[in-house]
Amino acid sequence: MFGLFGGNKDWQATVNGGEHTITVKAGDNLLKAALEAGVPWPHDCRVGSCSTCQCTLKNGKIKALTDFSYVLDQDQLKSGKILACQTRLKTDVAIEVELSDAPAIALNSYEGQIISTRNLTHDIKELVVKCEGKVEHSGMAGQYSEVAISALDDPRSYSYAKAPKQENPGEFTFYVRLVPNGKFTEWLFAEERVGETVKVTGPYGQFFRRDEDSTMVCVAGGSGMSAIKAILESSAAEQVKRNCLYLFGARAQQDLYCMDELAEIGKKWNKDYSFEFVPVLSEEPEGSGWQGATGFVTTYLKEAYVDTGKLSLNEAQGYLCGPPPMIDAAIDVMVDQGMNKENIYFDKFLDASSMPGGR
Ligand code: FES
């Protein structure tokens, strides 16, 4: 009895002329096999919508799990481009891909229990999972893991909300935002879930600090706080020699959280360099007493920092995390104001309203 795609046989993928040889098990996609083997394959969404995992099929036959033409244009398709996360093998294949600058870290899966949940705002919860056995939390601040529960078929992806090196042994901390029709988030918010069993698989993602001397300009919104906070915690702990501006966009004061943690990061930041954290509120009611920054976070970046000459984006690096419209707007402003697009790193939090498998 043969499976549907490529039978029940394992196949080999030879990558970049033999730089890596990956065994792709029957039923697995090429990206999953590569990441499990510790090959630093570029990836982001893992559901066929971002095209980050694209590579060139030089030889062999594959089964496309989705229509590549949704994200690859005709020229790319003609040149043999495929999406690794949407590819199963029907034969051995030869592939060319520009591998990521991320360190090669093999995926690990751990089973554990939810040991605490805590409301951070009216729609964001902190979730702490403790895993059993010998747990290597080998990811980098900014990366993410999949979190799976038996009540749901598909896992969900959440960024590390604490720098992995600063977690208690075996623990993983995530921030989860309640999203409309988000099955995992509705499950989590419905009742107390301490003691529930979960499986954590990771690390995934290309979002992490690149070591340069330039100023870090961070912009986050919603639960995008998690990855940026983790990056800043690790940067403070490592005493990086960089100035940093972090703008956090929220609707109103009720959406602010981690203020104490950010103050703590500021105290620990390398004393020879500046660290500035600014929450920016877009819908704070008049007369609320809020004395801080207002408006859209991207407009605020331009008007309060670039236009005034306080900050030059020419040599800076951008780190963006949160809802896709905010990230797209921030990229536009940053590039428009002189930042090199290649110096902008981002993690778009796609949720159940944006795509299946989102956060
Ligand atoms: S399309 Fe494969 S990782 Fe996004």
Side-chain angles (χ1 to χ4, degrees):
M1 175 74 179
F2 288 94
L4 194 54
F5 305 130
N8 56 1
K9 197 171 173 333
D10 299 349
W11 299 104
Q12 303 285 315
T14 303
V15 178
N16 295 345
E19 187 183 349
H20 298 277
T21 302
I22 301 165
T23 300
V24 184
K25 292 194 209 109
D28 278 357
N29 66 61
L30 176 58
L31 177 66
K32 179 170 184 280
L35 295 178
E36 282 179 352
V39 176
W41 200 289
H43 64 282
D44 187 8
C45 72
R46 296 182 298 120
V47 292
S49 66
C50 72
S51 82
T52 310
C53 65
Q54 66 176 273
C55 54
T56 307
L57 178 65
K58 304 302 279 185
N59 220 324
K61 290 196 174 143
I62 59 126
K63 170 72 189 177
L65 301 176
T66 55
D67 185 348
F68 296 155
S69 67
Y70 286 128
V71 289
L72 299 177
D73 63 29
Q74 283 308 311
D75 287 346
Q76 290 174 311
L77 293 170
K78 271 190 207 141
S79 68
K81 288 274 188 280
I82 59 172
L83 299 176
C85 72
Q86 299 300 306
T87 290
R88 286 186 192 159
L89 304 193
K90 292 166 85 175
T91 66
D92 288 343
V93 295
I95 299 280
E96 279 189 4
V97 60
E98 195 172 325
L99 294 174
S100 146
D101 58 352
I105 305 171
L107 292 182
N108 278 311
S109 270
Y110 299 108
E111 201 158 278
Q113 268 79 44
I114 295 176
I115 58 165
S116 77
T117 64
R118 177 168 70 106
N119 289 331
L120 298 172
T121 70
H122 58 102
D123 65 352
I124 296 178
K125 258 188 203 297
E126 179 188 76
L127 170 70
V128 183
V129 174
K130 185 163 179 72
C131 294
E132 293 139 12
K134 189 173 178 306
V135 178
E136 259 187 82
H137 193 344
S138 52
M140 289 181 292
Q143 290 190 297
Y144 65 91
S145 274
E146 279 183 347
V147 179
I149 53 169
S150 59
L152 295 177
D153 292 340
D154 298 320
R156 289 293 180 268
S157 300
Y158 294 104
S159 294
Y160 305 132
K162 266 193 191 170
K165 285 190 180 143
Q166 289 168 38
E167 286 277 22
N168 293 323
E171 290 185 12
F172 294 78
T173 304
F174 306 102
Y175 294 164
V176 180
R177 189 173 72 85
L178 179 62
V179 293
N181 304 317
K183 287 186 185 148
F184 182 87
T185 63
E186 284 177 354
W187 174 86
L188 180 66
F189 279 71
E191 57 187 87
E192 180 53 78
R193 297 297 186 183
V194 169
E196 294 274 359
T197 298
V198 299
K199 190 165 142 196
V200 178
T201 303
Y204 290 107
Q206 310 290 303
F207 189 62
F208 54 88
R209 192 189 72 233
R210 268 66 173 183
D211 285 324
E212 299 276 344
D213 296 336
S214 55
T215 298
M216 298 168 71
V217 180
C218 305
V219 177
S223 53
M225 168 69 83
S226 54
I228 296 288
K229 182 175 80 72
I231 286 175
L232 297 179
E233 276 174 354
S234 70
S235 302
E238 292 165 33
Q239 292 287 286
V240 296
K241 296 178 177 170
R242 308 180 70 166
N243 298 322
C244 177
L245 169 67
Y246 174 19
L247 302 180
F248 179 68
R251 287 203 172 91
Q253 286 189 71
Q254 63 166 356
D255 301 306
L256 296 179
Y257 62 109
C258 288
M259 298 296 108
D260 292 346
E261 288 89 336
L262 265 301
E264 202 52 36
I265 289 169
K267 281 186 208 153
K268 291 181 179 158
W269 200 259
N270 188 323
K271 295 287 177 273
D272 295 330
Y273 295 83
S274 67
F275 176 84
E276 192 176 0
F277 169 62
V278 184
V280 185
L281 304 185
S282 59
E283 294 176 21
E284 179 69 3
E286 272 187 36
S288 71
W290 172 252
Q291 312 239 312
T294 55
F296 286 114
V297 69
T298 46
T299 311
Y300 190 79
L301 170 65
K302 178 178 178 303
E303 292 180 354
Y305 288 89
V306 182
D307 290 353
T308 58
K310 271 195 200 171
L311 177 69
S312 162
L313 296 183
N314 292 344
E315 300 297 326
Q317 272 186 343
Y319 291 90
L320 318 174
C321 193
M326 186 209 75
I327 290 185
D328 291 339
I331 292 173
D332 285 350
V333 167
M334 287 173 156
V335 171
D336 201 42
Q337 299 303 315
M339 190 179 281
N340 184 337
K341 202 166 185 181
E342 292 186 351
N343 287 336
I344 301 177
Y345 303 94
F346 57 85
D347 189 0
K348 290 183 181 178
F349 279 11
L350 301 163
D351 61 33
S353 59
S354 325
M355 58 184 275
R359 290 164 207 193

